[in-house]
Amino acid sequence: KPNADIIFKRIKECSLDKLKLAFLFMLDFMFNNIKHKFNRREWILAIDIHYEPFYGNYTDLWVHGYKPERYSDCTGSYCYITIAIVVGQEKFTLMALPVTAGDDKADLIEELIFAAKKNFRIRLVLLDRGFDSGSVIRRLELLRVKYIIFWKRDDKVEEFLEQVAPFGHKYFYDKIEWREDKSIQREPVKYLVIRDYVDMKSWIMYDWVFITNLSNTKAISYVHLYRKRWCIETTYKLFNQFKIRTISTNYLVRYFFFLFRILLYNLWKFYNMFMDKAATF
């Protein structure tokens, strides 16, 4: 059996593309069985960012300056973008990519969606405030994907909120502007602004602002759809329960360990689903 030094050596001799292909190869059996079980249904997927705290003085493009909550003593973090199924108990993470400080989120999202489309029919993609950019919206439109993005509270949104009656909602059609390739880019968008939404569990009142390309329907349905995304936070908490500790600063090693944890999580979900069990992790 190879020792730890040999394993680390072989991981470092890999490339990002090899690790991605190996990960998808390992999940291929599960994906085929899921497709067969659910007869090619359409899925709601969520794209999110996960930060792994880093301790040390080593910094490069792979180490971000962001410090995750509850890890204020760290010096930075490794960052991964994931795409996952978020419907019912079938919460599988389909793919994860490492993120450098200069990566274009639109390019990463496109790669994740292509990986998901190879195995699943996509009904809807949910994204949080970390993806509130015109370039991301344009890429999703080019990919012909339905999406809901939880939007930031900027000056334009504040103007929209003033035009919405208390406890009401309204659609607004506008354009997002951003600078790209030394020119101003514009993309038409549809806002849904919901004012004074009351959470019936906590009885807390707050506002929701989405950008979406779904057809107009009851505003509350958008909230219910988007809240399916929240379960991905639970998934990340489970990832953290079996974190593989290492002092390695090699991004391939870190990426391999993150993919391995996802694989263990998916195997657990797969076992429970097909064996009709409720085994705890």
Side-chain angles (χ1 to χ4, degrees):
K1 297 179 181 179
N3 58 33
D5 291 336
I6 296 297
I7 292 174
F8 274 81
K9 179 177 182 295
R10 290 180 179 174
I11 294 173
K12 293 174 183 178
E13 289 174 350
C14 282
S15 64
L16 282 176
D17 289 337
K18 279 187 177 181
L19 290 179
K20 295 173 193 175
L21 288 172
F23 177 75
L24 292 174
F25 176 79
M26 293 295 292
L27 291 180
D28 188 60
F29 171 78
M30 278 186 272
F31 290 166
N32 286 333
N33 278 273
I34 292 168
K35 286 187 290 184
H36 179 72
K37 180 180 176 69
F38 292 98
N39 194 24
R40 293 181 55 79
R41 66 177 283 184
E42 293 184 325
W43 298 90
I44 297 177
L45 307 180
I47 295 177
D48 209 346
I49 295 288
H50 180 67
Y51 291 94
E52 291 279 310
F54 173 76
Y55 301 86
N57 298 320
Y58 183 85
T59 58
D60 61 6
L61 290 177
W62 295 101
V63 180
H64 298 246
Y66 175 77
K67 298 181 180 181
E69 293 183 12
R70 304 189 307 277
Y71 299 98
S72 58
D73 56 336
C74 69
T75 56
S77 58
Y78 284 90
C79 179
Y80 304 97
I81 183 172
T82 65
I83 186 167
I85 292 172
V86 293
V87 179
Q89 297 302 313
E90 291 74 49
K91 299 179 180 69
F92 290 91
T93 299
L94 308 180
M95 189 59 187
L97 301 173
V99 183
T100 68
D103 278 338
D104 185 346
K105 287 183 180 179
D107 291 338
L108 296 172
I109 287 172
E110 181 173 353
E111 185 174 349
L112 291 175
I113 289 176
F114 274 141
K117 278 185 173 181
K118 289 179 180 179
N119 290 283
F120 300 98
R121 299 171 63 194
I122 300 175
R123 173 188 168 194
L124 178 67
V125 177
L126 309 173
L127 304 102
D128 67 4
R129 287 194 185 100
F131 302 97
D132 51 1
S133 73
S135 62
V136 168
I137 294 172
R138 176 172 291 177
R139 193 66 59 90
L140 291 169
E141 292 287 351
L142 291 173
L143 293 170
R144 300 181 181 276
V145 171
K146 297 297 183 182
Y147 59 85
I148 297 177
I149 304 175
F150 190 37
W151 206 252
K152 59 180 177 292
R153 291 283 293 268
D154 53 21
D155 293 339
K156 184 177 291 186
V157 168
E158 294 296 337
E159 293 177 8
F160 291 157
L161 276 167
E162 293 178 1
Q163 302 176 48
V164 180
F167 303 100
H169 72 276
K170 191 173 181 180
Y171 292 95
F172 296 89
Y173 297 87
D174 206 289
K175 290 185 177 180
I176 297 291
E177 294 187 356
W178 73 99
R179 181 172 292 277
E180 184 179 305
D181 297 330
K182 299 181 180 180
S183 63
I184 300 297
Q185 304 291 320
R186 296 177 178 85
E187 183 71 21
V189 296
K190 179 174 68 176
Y191 289 87
L192 169 59
V193 179
I194 304 172
R195 183 174 173 183
D196 301 331
Y197 171 85
V198 179
D199 188 325
M200 302 306 291
K201 291 184 178 180
S202 63
W203 294 103
I204 297 175
M205 184 171 65
Y206 47 92
D207 304 320
W208 290 85
V209 180
F210 301 116
I211 281 185
T212 181
N213 60 353
L214 291 176
S215 58
N216 294 0
T217 182
K218 292 182 179 179
I220 194 66
S221 65
Y222 289 90
V223 176
H224 291 162
L225 282 170
Y226 182 77
R227 291 175 76 166
K228 293 180 182 295
R229 197 200 137 272
W230 291 357
C231 68
I232 205 169
E233 301 298 333
T234 303
T235 300
Y236 287 150
K237 289 179 181 178
L238 287 171
F239 287 169
N240 290 335
Q241 288 183 13
F242 57 101
K243 186 178 296 182
I244 304 171
R245 301 188 182 278
T246 179
I247 60 173
S248 175
T249 57
N250 185 286
Y251 71 96
L252 288 171
V253 172
R254 295 273 181 163
Y255 182 44
F256 175 87
F257 285 168
F258 188 70
L259 292 180
F260 190 83
R261 288 155 61 192
I262 292 174
L263 181 62
L264 288 177
Y265 174 86
N266 284 349
L267 284 169
W268 169 56
K269 301 299 292 187
F270 182 79
Y271 172 81
N272 280 347
M273 181 173 65
F274 279 91
M275 300 300 292
D276 194 24
K277 300 288 186 181
T280 60
F281 200 71

